mmCIF file of all heavy atoms in Angstrom:
data_model
loop_
_atom_site.group_PDB
_atom_site.id
_atom_site.type_symbol
_atom_site.label_atom_id
_atom_site.label_comp_id
_atom_site.label_asym_id
_atom_site.label_seq_id
_atom_site.Cartn_x
_atom_site.Cartn_y
_atom_site.Cartn_z
ATOM 1 N N SER A 30 5.717 13.684 13.353
ATOM 2 C CA SER A 30 6.266 12.604 12.542
ATOM 3 C C SER A 30 5.344 12.260 11.369
ATOM 4 O O SER A 30 5.779 11.650 10.395
ATOM 5 C CB SER A 30 6.460 11.347 13.389
ATOM 6 O OG SER A 30 5.232 10.728 13.702
ATOM 7 N N MET A 31 4.093 12.681 11.419
ATOM 8 C CA MET A 31 3.132 12.367 10.371
ATOM 9 C C MET A 31 3.044 13.443 9.314
ATOM 10 O O MET A 31 2.723 13.177 8.156
ATOM 11 C CB MET A 31 1.752 12.133 10.989
ATOM 12 C CG MET A 31 1.659 10.983 11.965
ATOM 13 S SD MET A 31 0.027 10.807 12.695
ATOM 14 C CE MET A 31 -0.894 10.197 11.296
ATOM 15 N N PHE A 32 3.298 14.695 9.709
ATOM 16 C CA PHE A 32 3.168 15.833 8.813
ATOM 17 C C PHE A 32 4.455 16.612 8.820
ATOM 18 O O PHE A 32 5.057 16.821 9.867
ATOM 19 C CB PHE A 32 1.997 16.740 9.223
ATOM 20 C CG PHE A 32 0.689 16.054 9.280
ATOM 21 C CD1 PHE A 32 0.186 15.527 10.474
ATOM 22 C CD2 PHE A 32 -0.091 15.915 8.134
ATOM 23 C CE1 PHE A 32 -1.025 14.906 10.546
ATOM 24 C CE2 PHE A 32 -1.307 15.281 8.189
ATOM 25 C CZ PHE A 32 -1.788 14.772 9.389
ATOM 26 N N ARG A 33 4.867 17.096 7.665
ATOM 27 C CA ARG A 33 6.141 17.808 7.567
ATOM 28 C C ARG A 33 6.086 19.153 8.253
ATOM 29 O O ARG A 33 7.064 19.603 8.865
ATOM 30 C CB ARG A 33 6.499 17.963 6.095
ATOM 31 C CG ARG A 33 7.975 18.345 5.893
ATOM 32 C CD ARG A 33 8.351 18.258 4.432
ATOM 33 N NE ARG A 33 9.747 18.533 4.246
ATOM 34 C CZ ARG A 33 10.702 17.636 4.321
ATOM 35 N NH1 ARG A 33 10.400 16.380 4.602
ATOM 36 N NH2 ARG A 33 11.969 17.960 4.139
ATOM 37 N N THR A 34 4.940 19.829 8.197
ATOM 38 C CA THR A 34 4.763 21.141 8.829
ATOM 39 C C THR A 34 3.481 21.125 9.657
ATOM 40 O O THR A 34 2.401 20.893 9.108
ATOM 41 C CB THR A 34 4.696 22.256 7.768
ATOM 42 O OG1 THR A 34 5.866 22.227 6.949
ATOM 43 C CG2 THR A 34 4.602 23.619 8.433
ATOM 44 N N VAL A 35 3.622 21.334 10.973
ATOM 45 C CA VAL A 35 2.465 21.315 11.858
ATOM 46 C C VAL A 35 2.498 22.544 12.757
ATOM 47 O O VAL A 35 3.528 22.869 13.344
ATOM 48 C CB VAL A 35 2.432 20.048 12.740
ATOM 49 C CG1 VAL A 35 1.085 19.901 13.414
ATOM 50 C CG2 VAL A 35 2.762 18.811 11.923
ATOM 51 N N ASP A 36 1.319 23.192 12.883
ATOM 52 C CA ASP A 36 1.165 24.313 13.793
ATOM 53 C C ASP A 36 0.253 23.863 14.932
ATOM 54 O O ASP A 36 -0.758 23.193 14.714
ATOM 55 C CB ASP A 36 0.547 25.499 13.059
ATOM 56 C CG ASP A 36 0.198 26.653 14.012
ATOM 57 O OD1 ASP A 36 1.145 27.288 14.493
ATOM 58 O OD2 ASP A 36 -0.992 26.855 14.272
ATOM 59 N N PHE A 37 0.607 24.237 16.182
ATOM 60 C CA PHE A 37 -0.159 23.770 17.325
ATOM 61 C C PHE A 37 -0.847 24.936 18.069
ATOM 62 O O PHE A 37 -1.277 24.770 19.207
ATOM 63 C CB PHE A 37 0.756 23.028 18.296
ATOM 64 C CG PHE A 37 1.297 21.746 17.703
ATOM 65 C CD1 PHE A 37 2.620 21.715 17.225
ATOM 66 C CD2 PHE A 37 0.530 20.613 17.618
ATOM 67 C CE1 PHE A 37 3.135 20.553 16.671
ATOM 68 C CE2 PHE A 37 1.031 19.458 17.077
ATOM 69 C CZ PHE A 37 2.339 19.422 16.586
ATOM 70 N N SER A 38 -1.010 26.069 17.422
ATOM 71 C CA SER A 38 -1.666 27.207 18.063
ATOM 72 C C SER A 38 -3.153 27.262 17.773
ATOM 73 O O SER A 38 -3.903 27.973 18.445
ATOM 74 C CB SER A 38 -1.001 28.526 17.600
ATOM 75 O OG SER A 38 -1.158 28.679 16.205
ATOM 76 N N ALA A 39 -3.601 26.513 16.790
ATOM 77 C CA ALA A 39 -5.021 26.509 16.402
ATOM 78 C C ALA A 39 -5.301 25.223 15.633
ATOM 79 O O ALA A 39 -4.442 24.378 15.490
ATOM 80 C CB ALA A 39 -5.335 27.747 15.564
ATOM 81 N N GLY A 40 -6.549 25.090 15.135
ATOM 82 C CA GLY A 40 -6.864 23.960 14.284
ATOM 83 C C GLY A 40 -7.714 22.916 14.974
ATOM 84 O O GLY A 40 -8.334 23.148 16.021
ATOM 85 N N ARG A 41 -7.728 21.743 14.438
ATOM 86 C CA ARG A 41 -8.593 20.640 14.853
ATOM 87 C C ARG A 41 -8.154 20.149 16.252
ATOM 88 O O ARG A 41 -6.966 19.900 16.477
ATOM 89 C CB ARG A 41 -8.514 19.530 13.854
ATOM 90 C CG ARG A 41 -9.678 18.578 13.847
ATOM 91 C CD ARG A 41 -9.620 17.715 12.591
ATOM 92 N NE ARG A 41 -10.700 16.727 12.571
ATOM 93 C CZ ARG A 41 -10.866 15.867 11.578
ATOM 94 N NH1 ARG A 41 -10.031 15.874 10.546
ATOM 95 N NH2 ARG A 41 -11.850 14.990 11.610
ATOM 96 N N LEU A 42 -9.116 19.972 17.158
ATOM 97 C CA LEU A 42 -8.821 19.578 18.525
ATOM 98 C C LEU A 42 -8.585 18.086 18.603
ATOM 99 O O LEU A 42 -9.355 17.289 18.084
ATOM 100 C CB LEU A 42 -9.982 19.971 19.446
ATOM 101 C CG LEU A 42 -9.812 19.593 20.932
ATOM 102 C CD1 LEU A 42 -8.647 20.345 21.556
ATOM 103 C CD2 LEU A 42 -11.098 19.874 21.690
ATOM 104 N N ILE A 43 -7.506 17.708 19.285
ATOM 105 C CA ILE A 43 -7.228 16.302 19.595
ATOM 106 C C ILE A 43 -7.036 16.166 21.108
ATOM 107 O O ILE A 43 -6.254 16.883 21.717
ATOM 108 C CB ILE A 43 -6.025 15.770 18.808
ATOM 109 C CG1 ILE A 43 -5.797 14.281 19.085
ATOM 110 C CG2 ILE A 43 -4.744 16.561 19.089
ATOM 111 C CD1 ILE A 43 -4.855 13.614 18.112
#
Side-chain angles (χ1 to χ4, degrees):
S30 73
M31 299 177 72
F32 302 95
R33 196 170 184 88
T34 304
V35 193
D36 173 71
F37 295 102
S38 62
R41 202 167 177 180
L42 179 64
I43 183 166

